[in-house]
Each structure stands twice: as C-alpha cells, then as structure tokens.
Amino acid sequence: QRFDQVGVKKVDFATCLEKSHVISIHCNLHDETFHLLNEHAFESMPQRPILINTARGPIIDENALLQTLQKDYIHSAGLDVFEDEPPLSHRNILLSHPRIVCTGHIAWYSLEASQELQKRAAQNMVMMLNGKIPDDCLNPMVKER
C-alpha cells in the first residue's frame, strides 16, 4: 500500500483534525467537502495546526476560519483559493489577518509543474487517440468501460 511505502498512517477525518500539526487540503469540491472545515472541525483541532488550502475555496468556511483565528484555535493559515474569487471586499478582515498568507490561486505554479501539466496533457491525448482511457480521467462512467 502506498501509505506504507511513504511511511504514513491512514486515519479518519476526526483523528486527522485531532492529531495534525499541519493540515494541507487537496480534495475536490463537492457536496461532501463544501465547508468541510467549519466551526465544528476547527474546534476539534487541539494541536493549533497550520492550515493550507490550495484546493478549492469553499472547502473552508471562511467566516468560521476568521473566528477560529481570533480565538487562537489554529496557528495560522495559507490560502491560495477563496470562497469568492477574487475575494470580495467583505473578506478584507480575513485577508488582512496577521496570521494569514494569501496568494492569488497560483501556489501550484513552478516551471516544473507547468512542464509536467503540458506533458500529461499530451500523454492523455495520445492515449485517447489510441482508443484508451487516459490515466488522468476523472469521469467514473468512462473509467468503467
């Protein structure tokens, strides 16, 4: 299993919130992950973790995040994505908080990442042209064929 290979342990969400010192979000946004990190989730983080979101903004309830920072329940946050993009002016208090670092949805970017994305797009196109399902296919109906 991949977890064993890289020396990590798979845990449930509640355990992750309870034990983590750093939480980096990398999930898709859908009904189950909308406001996944909300007031209840933040209150169950005794380690005062650093929170990083480079996935999708609405995974974090930004109002709850601001309250959490004000109550000192988490150490700090790094946000590359926001509930509204670009963030609307009513978010200025959150964006100017001294323990928040914000970037403009570009945290993924590096020369290596850009080259990898181009390479994968070309490999996926070759697979499709050869009648195969691309490795990066996210559509479950297509993958089941």
Side-chain angles (χ1 to χ4, degrees), residues 50-132:
I50 296 169
L51 177 64
I52 301 165
N53 187 8
T54 61
R56 294 290 178 254
I59 293 170
I60 295 177
D61 177 343
E62 291 178 356
N63 292 326
L65 174 60
L66 179 58
Q67 291 175 11
T68 297
L69 285 162
Q70 292 170 335
K71 293 177 182 176
D72 205 29
Y73 288 169
I74 67 170
H75 181 275
S76 53
L79 304 177
D80 186 54
V81 290
F82 306 91
E83 288 194 67
D84 305 302
E85 291 190 10
L88 300 177
S89 61
H90 71 281
R91 298 289 183 215
N92 287 346
I93 295 171
L94 175 68
L95 300 178
S96 63
H97 194 281
R99 293 194 328 265
I100 290 262
V101 174
C102 300
T103 56
H105 205 143
I106 58 167
W108 69 273
Y109 183 77
S110 68
L111 179 59
E112 294 82 2
S114 180
Q115 291 171 343
E116 178 67 18
L117 287 173
Q118 292 172 30
K119 181 178 94 178
R120 286 171 54 185
Q123 290 170 334
N124 288 338
M125 183 58 70
V126 168
M127 289 184 77
M128 288 174 31
L129 291 171
N130 288 319
K132 297 178 182 172

